[in-house]
Amino acid sequence: MSGISAQGSKLFIATGTGGAKSITGITPGNPTIVNSAAHGFKNGFAVDISGIVGTMAADLNGTKRVVSNITPNSYAILDYDSTGKTYTSGGSALPAAYTKINGFTSYDGMDGAADDLETTDLDSTAKEYISGLVDNGKFGFEVKRLVADPGQIALRAARASGASTGFRLELPDQSVASWNALVKTAPLSGGVNQVLKGKVDTKIDGAVVWS
């Protein structure tokens, strides 16, 4: 039986935006395939969509989407089923710019669950429930403290601002998870004959998209 080694995992934090890339065509379906020459995106990039003309415009314009199934001139939007919609012209995708968090040593989380919504009534013979909204829980990770590392600087800035911030986790098997989170704590620990390190705790804000 095989498994995925955690060795080689990489964690990135969103630190602004890159250059907008023009959309030259969209093939409706599930997934939705977007044509964009030399876009330069990677699996798991979050992009802001705007300027599309067609019946899918109301669904896509002004939204943030995660791209996957990358080729040099196209990508897929996995979380949008555009079957029956039309694309006429135009559009652009503005990608988030990501910075690697160096000194990354371990991680855990994505441990949330959906709320239980009680539906019991006077005809029930036992308590009854349906699933509510999913809470994706927390994501925690340990880093060696590297004061001058751009990724760790961005991490501390996200904690200070309290803003919901994009993260991307790349696994060695090429799987990528993308999500937003609030950075809650970034403590520092040290001791005799030890390097400085800290366990960062974040609260996931919204969905986790795998690509």
Side-chain angles (χ1 to χ4, degrees):
M1 182 177 294
S2 61
I4 302 172
S5 172
Q7 197 66 30
S9 299
K10 296 178 175 62
L11 183 64
F12 299 82
I13 185 170
T15 52
T17 58
K21 300 297 182 179
S22 296
I23 293 171
T24 57
I26 298 179
T27 303
N30 190 18
T32 299
I33 304 300
V34 179
N35 296 324
S36 178
H39 52 74
F41 299 161
K42 292 184 178 180
N43 286 333
F45 268 31
V47 299
D48 293 311
I49 306 291
S50 63
I52 288 172
V53 178
T55 62
M56 63 179 64
D59 299 330
L60 289 178
N61 287 339
T63 67
K64 188 181 294 291
R65 302 287 176 169
V66 175
V67 304
S68 186
N69 300 352
I70 297 296
T71 74
N73 298 305
S74 71
Y75 52 87
I77 298 175
L78 298 182
D79 62 345
Y80 175 55
D81 183 354
S82 58
T83 302
K85 302 287 186 175
T86 61
Y87 169 83
T88 303
S89 64
S92 65
L94 180 67
Y98 291 93
T99 300
K100 183 184 176 190
I101 299 173
N102 288 305
F104 182 46
T105 61
S106 66
Y107 54 96
D108 57 42
M110 300 184 186
D111 52 358
D115 290 332
D116 297 324
L117 306 183
E118 186 173 352
T119 59
T120 309
D121 59 28
L122 292 176
D123 291 323
S124 301
T125 58
K127 284 198 169 186
E128 299 174 358
Y129 298 89
I130 61 173
S131 289
L133 294 174
V134 173
D135 178 349
N136 280 297
K138 297 180 179 181
F139 184 78
F141 55 95
E142 190 168 67
V143 293
K144 298 179 294 183
R145 181 56 64 90
L146 304 174
V147 177
D149 176 64
Q152 293 197 25
I153 291 172
L155 189 65
R156 294 193 293 272
R159 179 176 179 270
S161 72
S164 182
T165 302
F167 287 87
R168 197 174 92 248
L169 175 67
E170 294 184 357
L171 300 183
D173 69 346
Q174 308 305 311
S175 299
V176 180
S178 303
W179 70 96
N180 274 39
L182 305 174
V183 181
K184 306 298 288 184
T185 64
L188 179 67
S189 64
V192 175
N193 203 33
Q194 295 180 2
V195 299
L196 291 176
K197 58 185 178 180
K199 175 67 183 294
V200 178
D201 288 317
T202 72
K203 174 63 177 175
I204 296 174
D205 174 26
V208 177
V209 179
W210 285 92
S211 55

